[in-house]
């Protein structure tokens, strides 16, 4: 692996790779490749889920957690952010296979206690795979890795808080400190965290949104006035057409399949747009229905468009052009001209742009056969009640913002926003990632938020923009960051350009992690590293014998409570809010402008502060008493478009076609069915027919044949950017149904290939779905251990 001139050494000066798996295994496991599945869930999903839960937590503890999941007064799933239907939350609780796996990971009875860290030094631990590290168990107590040491050792909470505060006061400055946030963090913890950071004096608040749906927020804010989706769960049963774009709900948001099933039953058609055909968009066997548990299923997609990677803008542009031509043939019967005139601006400019385009060239650039493009466009033209759902398949390209704005153009042509059964639906990947942003976790805070903080807490928060994720990694590598703290997450494995990110972390004087379980970022550390173990969603949060709850916001802007019901695995854990308060009190002392000491035992005081600071949370403590929660304000849902223009905005969008040389492919990184974000539950991707191995590369049957690659043949992958070559080694070829010139690999294994300098215009999101790579046969590069 290239290191770009950075030192990659442990505390004793030995060479150390951030991702030992970049070299691959000396011997592969027994890779099995079978036929991909054509439907999702069913009895097999139930069996797999129960096996994970019982293996990790045991039958009693595991079932106790599941029976409390996604119910009124229960635990909000720490997995995806898909909302819970009220009829389920009141009785049974709705959960999916991967939600059960997430619960199993958190409810595990395994512990990484002081004896564990005494047996295993950080160098040895860092050579394990992400899967092996994750299976080590819950962190049992605060731990510290002192300068020059190879072993984490116990530290008291008081001492940990003191060490962190002393470093922030004496060893660094606010502008040289970075505070990262993961999407699992509760509203209460996120609000306190951003408040502490801003009282300290910086807006260096990168978060996981920077790497996923930042592009969605930017595009929707520009065009509709709010960086969130506009639909509710009830809209799915009223829609006549649903587009699912760049998304694999069967793996990443399985509970969404219930909503799609209900929509189909109500008469909706579904169009899936994705380079890969995914089982969860073909058919769904609902495990909560007896006849489907036994094998029956509901067909989902009526039309599948196998778009080429990053072919979305030309695809949508071709659809828009075809719809305009339909309007020319039937004036006044296709476009919603009344909506366009009353609520939008920019239509004439878009129309002029589209009529100058070559329809055939657009279709060719998309990679989708022309008859399918025309059929999809005509279905869209036939109704104003359509919903567009999307995920990272759209948001992680250089033209990601353009991708989403082009979808908005389709909606605006038909007036398909702000009415029942219609609107935009970015499907968030982590259970409170949207709530964290609402709470102020943002490197570019609005003046209104800062004004509210100043008015309520009587200090002047910084007005200068801070670092996002890409900027923070660059600053760490430039020696402009001394302190890095992560509120949850696995920053190293989630970030692009893994070795560059690792080099930046190693340059920090102190790294601090609030976490439930050990992960790779804890092992690639600064001079001093501190682990602060926190309660998980499933853990009972007691203060003076009284249980406490936190709140979250789902993908559709509903805020509701979450309360654990399991005995914590260790008596040495603190809640995330208590950890923030402990650091803040050590940092600012009793004379702090913010009365940190006044936070009461039930977090009610925090919610009072949120009520006074964040719009939409008025009377928070009172309204959160409703078990169903409450909706936050959403202007586009009511055709109130608070853009700079005061109207919904048509936009002219572009894309950057990749000029691939001979032997080059456009790679996208994806999840397997046995993972959630960077958490690896197992080594199988059964919906795609891959078992017992993660180091695989999916490529088209035709491309594999033209290169002479056999199924299972070992290849190495490399990408080149800005004069630097990045490599990962020892992957096995899996011929698959994917457009020619495109390949797919799992992350985090292939994150080392994603260049830090390649990111989306306008959002700075790394382009993990658009990486130009070469595949080199093992024999062509000589010694595979070189």
């Amino acid at each position: 692996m290239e290191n770009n001139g950075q030192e990659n050494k442990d505390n004793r000066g030995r060479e150390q790779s951030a991702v030992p798996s970049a070299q691959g295994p000396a011997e592969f496991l027994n890779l099995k490749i079978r036929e991909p599945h054509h439907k999702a869930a069913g009895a097999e999903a139930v069996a797999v889920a129960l096996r994970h839960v019982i293996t990790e937590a045991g039958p009693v503890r595991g079932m106790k957690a599941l029976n409390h999941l996604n119910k009124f007064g229960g635990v909000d799933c720490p997995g995806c952010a898909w909302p819970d239907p009220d009829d389920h939350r009141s009785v049974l609780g709705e959960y999916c296979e991967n939600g059960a796996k997430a619960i199993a990971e958190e409810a595990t009875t395994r512990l990484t206690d002081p004896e564990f860290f005494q047996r295993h030094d950080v160098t040895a631990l860092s050579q394990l795979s992400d899967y092996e590290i994750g299976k080590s168990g819950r962190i049992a107590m605060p731990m510290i890795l002192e300068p020059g040491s190879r072993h984490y050792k116990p530290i008291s909470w008081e001492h940990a808080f003191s060490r962190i505060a002393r470093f922030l006061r004496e060893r660094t400055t606010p502008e040289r400190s970075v505070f990262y946030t993961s999407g699992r963090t509760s509203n209460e913890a996120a609000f306190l965290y951003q408040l502490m950071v801003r009282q300290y004096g910086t807006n260096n608040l990168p978060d996981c949104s920077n790497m996923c749906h930042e592009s969605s927020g930017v595009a929707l804010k520009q065009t509709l006035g709010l960086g969130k989706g506009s639909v509710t769960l009830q809209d799915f049963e009223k829609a006549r057409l649903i587009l699912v774009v760049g998304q694999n709900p069967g793996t990443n948001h399985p509970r969404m399949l219930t909503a799609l099933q209900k929509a189909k039953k109500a008469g909706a058609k579904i169009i899936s747009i994705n380079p890969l055909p995914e089982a969860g968009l073909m058919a769904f066997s609902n495990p909560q229905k007896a006849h489907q548990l036994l094998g029956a299923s509901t067909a989902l997609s009526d039309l599948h468009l196998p778009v080429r990677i990053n072919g979305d803008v030309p695809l949508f542009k071709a659809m828009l052009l075809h719809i305009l031509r339909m309007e020319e043939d039937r004036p006044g019967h296709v476009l919603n001209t009344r909506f366009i005139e009353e609520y939008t601006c920019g239509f004439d400019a878009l129309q002029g742009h589209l009529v100058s385009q070559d329809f055939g060239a657009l279709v060719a650039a998309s990679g989708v056969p022309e008859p399918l493009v025309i059929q999809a466009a005509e279905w869209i033209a036939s109704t104003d009640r359509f919903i567009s759902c999307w995920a990272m398949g759209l948001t992680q390209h250089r033209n990601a913002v353009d991708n989403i704005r082009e979808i908005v153009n389709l909606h605006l042509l038909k007036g398909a926003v702000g009415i029942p059964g219609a609107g935009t639906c970015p499907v968030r990947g982590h259970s409170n990632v949207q709530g964290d942003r609402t709470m102020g976790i943002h490197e570019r805070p609005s003046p209104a938020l800062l004004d509210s903080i100043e008015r309520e807490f009587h200090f002047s928060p910084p007005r200068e923009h801070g670092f996002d994720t890409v900027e923070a990694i660059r600053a760490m590598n430039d020696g402009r960051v001394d302190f890095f703290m992560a509120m949850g997450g696995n920053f190293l494995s989630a970030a692009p350009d893994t070795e560059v990110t690792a080099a930046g972390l190693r340059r920090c004087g102190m790294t601090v992690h609030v976490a439930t379980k050990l992960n790779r970022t804890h092992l690639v550390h600064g001079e001093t590293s501190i682990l602060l173990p926190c309660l998980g969603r499933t853990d009972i949060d007691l203060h003076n014998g009284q249980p406490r709850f936190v709140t979250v916001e789902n993908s559709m802007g509903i805020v509701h409570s979450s309360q654990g019901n399991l005995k914590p695995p260790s008596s040495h854990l603190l809640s995330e809010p208590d950890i923030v308060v402990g650091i803040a009190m050590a940092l600012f002392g009793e004379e702090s402008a913010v009365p940190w000491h006044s936070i009461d035992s039930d977090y009610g005081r925090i919610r009072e502060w949120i009520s006074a600071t964040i719009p939409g949370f008025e009377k928070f403590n009172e309204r959160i008493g409703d078990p169903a929660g409450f909706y936050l304000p959403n202007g586009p849902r009511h055709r109130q478009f608070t853009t700079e223009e005061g109207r919904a905005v048509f936009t002219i969008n572009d894309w950057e076609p990749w000029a691939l040389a001979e032997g080059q492919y456009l790679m996208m990184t994806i999840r397997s069915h046995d993972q959630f974000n960077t958490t690896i539950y197992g080594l199988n991707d059964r919906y795609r027919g891959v078992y017992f191995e993660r180091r695989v590369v999916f490529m088209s049957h035709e491309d594999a044949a033209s290169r002479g690659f056999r199924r299972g043949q070992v290849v190495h992958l490399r990408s080149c950017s800005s004069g630097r070559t990045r490599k990962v080694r020892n992957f096995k070829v899996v011929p698959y149904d994917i457009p020619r010139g495109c390949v797919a690999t799992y992350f985090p294994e292939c994150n080392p290939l994603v260049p830090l300098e390649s990111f989306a215009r306008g959002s700075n999101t790394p382009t993990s779905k658009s990486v130009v790579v070469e595949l080199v046969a093992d024999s062509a590069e000589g010694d595979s251990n070189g």
Side-chain angles (χ1 to χ4, degrees), residues 528-551:
T528 299
S529 180
I530 297 177
L531 305 183
L532 304 177
C534 66
L535 297 172
R537 287 272 179 89
T538 56
D539 295 328
I540 298 172
D541 182 356
L542 289 177
H543 184 84
N544 293 331
Q546 297 299 312
R548 301 184 289 189
F549 68 87
V550 294
T551 63

Side-chain angles (χ1 to χ4, degrees), residues 25 50 107 110 115 220 233 258 297 356 371 444 470 490 728 754:
L50 291 176
R110 298 190 184 105
E115 290 72 27
L220 292 173
L233 199 55
T258 303
S297 63
S356 71
R444 295 170 178 261
V470 167
N490 184 355
V728 293
V754 183

Side-chain angles (χ1 to χ4, degrees), residues 76 443 447 481:
D76 185 70
E443 74 282 354
V481 174

Side-chain angles (χ1 to χ4, degrees), residues 146-164:
E146 298 280 10
S149 175
R150 294 171 56 197
H151 292 269
Y152 275 102
K153 296 180 180 179
I155 183 174
S156 71
W157 281 106
E158 183 179 7
H159 191 197
F161 294 152
S162 176
R163 288 285 296 269
I164 294 166

